[in-house]
């Protein structure tokens, strides 16, 4: 929930931040393209690693804490090119929680309960994303500075990390797969 709230806020904020760094619409397009091209092989990699190690919680934790750290590093960035590189790295680390999340839902619930459990999870996180969009609109309208917004997003991911420590558990035995 908190992770998606941060990314909903970032979806509003990141293009504005690139422009305030002196970037252009072309830079925003390049950033989005590079991030997407980084996320595709990273997604395959994280899925492979999860299947290979049969550990899932650690990759969810890695995703949330690394995104929190990278969002903090964004506050120290004044170069558009460095921001694009850091954003691409964040994109590759961001997807580290997707494959394990899907496996954990499959492993913690019976086949008959998958759809309901997955729908409940997605609904809950999408509410967080919508709240992030609303929060992005509100903080932009109120004129909060960019460092505050990045710290807020970093803090939300840190909160997701802390909650995941206590609420996410690897399955004791893997049956469904």
């Amino acid at each position: 929930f908190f992770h998606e709230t941060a990314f909903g806020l970032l979806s509003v904020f990141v293009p504005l931040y690139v422009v305030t760094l002196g970037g252009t619409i072309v830079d925003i397009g390049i950033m989005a393209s590079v991030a997407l091209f980084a996320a595709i092989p990273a997604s395959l990699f994280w899925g492979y690693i999860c299947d290979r190690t049969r550990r899932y919680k650690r990759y969810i934790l890695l995703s949330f804490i690394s995104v929190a750290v990278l969002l903090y590093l964004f506050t120290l960035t004044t170069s558009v090119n460095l921001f694009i590189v850091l954003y691409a790295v964040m994109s590759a680390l961001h997807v580290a929680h997707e494959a394990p999340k899907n496996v954990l839902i499959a492993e913690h619930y019976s086949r008959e309960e998958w759809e309901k459990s997955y729908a409940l999870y997605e609904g809950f996180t999408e509410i967080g994303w919508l709240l992030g969009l609303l929060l992005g609109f509100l903080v932009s309208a109120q004129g909060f500075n960019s460092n505050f917004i990045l710290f807020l997003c970093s803090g939300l991911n840190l909160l997701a990390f802390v909650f995941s420590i206590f609420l996410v558990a690897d399955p004791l035995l893997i049956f469904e797969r």
Side-chain angles (χ1 to χ4, degrees), residues 41-56 59 99-100 103 177:
S43 224
L44 297 171
F45 171 76
W46 294 119
Y48 172 77
I49 291 295
C50 288
D51 284 343
R52 184 99 165 127
T53 63
R54 295 192 172 268
R55 297 283 180 232
Y56 307 100
Y59 302 107
V103 171
R177 299 184 70 209

Side-chain angles (χ1 to χ4, degrees), residues 74-141:
F74 285 177
T75 65
L76 307 173
T77 305
T78 57
S79 163
V80 173
N81 292 333
L82 180 58
F83 184 83
I84 290 171
V85 169
L86 288 175
Y87 190 80
V89 170
M90 184 181 75
S91 181
L93 290 166
H94 171 250
V95 296
H97 82 283
E98 290 293 334
K101 173 237 344 170
N102 294 336
V103 171
L104 288 176
I105 289 172
E107 293 297 335
H108 281 106
Y109 298 97
S110 69
R111 175 68 178 112
E112 295 77 31
E113 296 173 320
W114 279 0
E115 290 175 0
K116 184 179 176 184
S117 300
Y118 191 75
L120 182 64
Y121 170 84
E122 286 297 320
F124 185 64
T125 57
E126 290 302 314
I127 289 169
W129 193 78
L130 282 170
L131 286 175
L133 282 176
L134 178 62
L135 188 60
F137 170 75
L138 293 174
V139 296
S140 295

Side-chain angles (χ1 to χ4, degrees), residues 24 27 64 73 75 95 99 104 115 132-133 147 154 164 174:
T24 65
D27 292 322
F64 293 162
L73 291 177
T75 65
V95 296
L104 288 176
E115 290 175 0
L133 282 176
N147 282 349
S154 180
S164 294
I174 298 176

